């Protein structure tokens, strides 16, 4: 299971630029999904740029499943918790 960043807890809304997300936060996790061929990822209770990470279609479908080609489980399928940004 791939923990997706580190969270301080639920209810927090982190403001992250698109460039920081792509160049800093996504890099190690993209490598885990693509090169490590992880079987699942999880989400947290926090928000990034006002969108709950567990309900963010751009993060889950476009990025993780689309660009990174995750073919395992995500939290939508198995109700797991994602860990996102500190």
């Amino acid at each position: 299971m791939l923990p997706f960043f580190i969270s301080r807890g639920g209810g927090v809304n982190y403001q992250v630029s698109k460039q920081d997300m792509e160049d800093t936060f996504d890099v190690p996790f993209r490598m885990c999904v693509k090169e490590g061929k992880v079987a699942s990822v999880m989400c947290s209770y926090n928000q990034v740029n006002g969108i709950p990470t567990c309900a963010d279609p751009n993060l889950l479908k476009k990025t993780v499943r689309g660009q990174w080609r995750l073919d395992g489980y995500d939290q939508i399928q198995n109700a797991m918790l994602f860990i996102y940004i500190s």
Side-chain angles (χ1 to χ4, degrees):
M1 184 156 341
L2 169 67
F4 207 115
F5 304 116
I6 299 170
S7 175
R8 291 188 186 126
V12 178
N13 181 22
Y14 298 101
Q15 299 300 309
V16 181
S17 72
K18 182 178 179 180
Q19 181 174 354
D20 277 342
M21 184 67 81
E22 292 174 1
D23 294 346
T24 305
F25 296 109
D26 284 355
V27 174
F29 304 102
R30 179 179 61 236
M31 291 172 62
C32 289
V33 170
K34 292 179 84 169
E35 296 172 25
K37 298 181 172 88
V38 298
S40 65
V41 295
M42 302 185 316
C43 73
S44 68
Y45 294 118
N46 61 318
Q47 297 178 23
V48 175
N49 300 328
I51 303 170
T53 58
C54 286
D56 186 346
N58 286 323
L59 173 66
L60 301 174
K61 292 184 177 159
K62 181 180 174 192
T63 301
V64 177
R65 286 206 173 272
Q67 294 173 1
W68 300 355
R69 304 279 188 229
L70 174 73
D71 62 357
Y73 295 100
D74 61 33
Q75 93 295 342
I76 294 171
Q77 295 169 318
N78 60 10
M80 291 182 163
L81 303 175
F82 234 111
I83 302 171
Y84 210 76
I85 295 176
S86 63

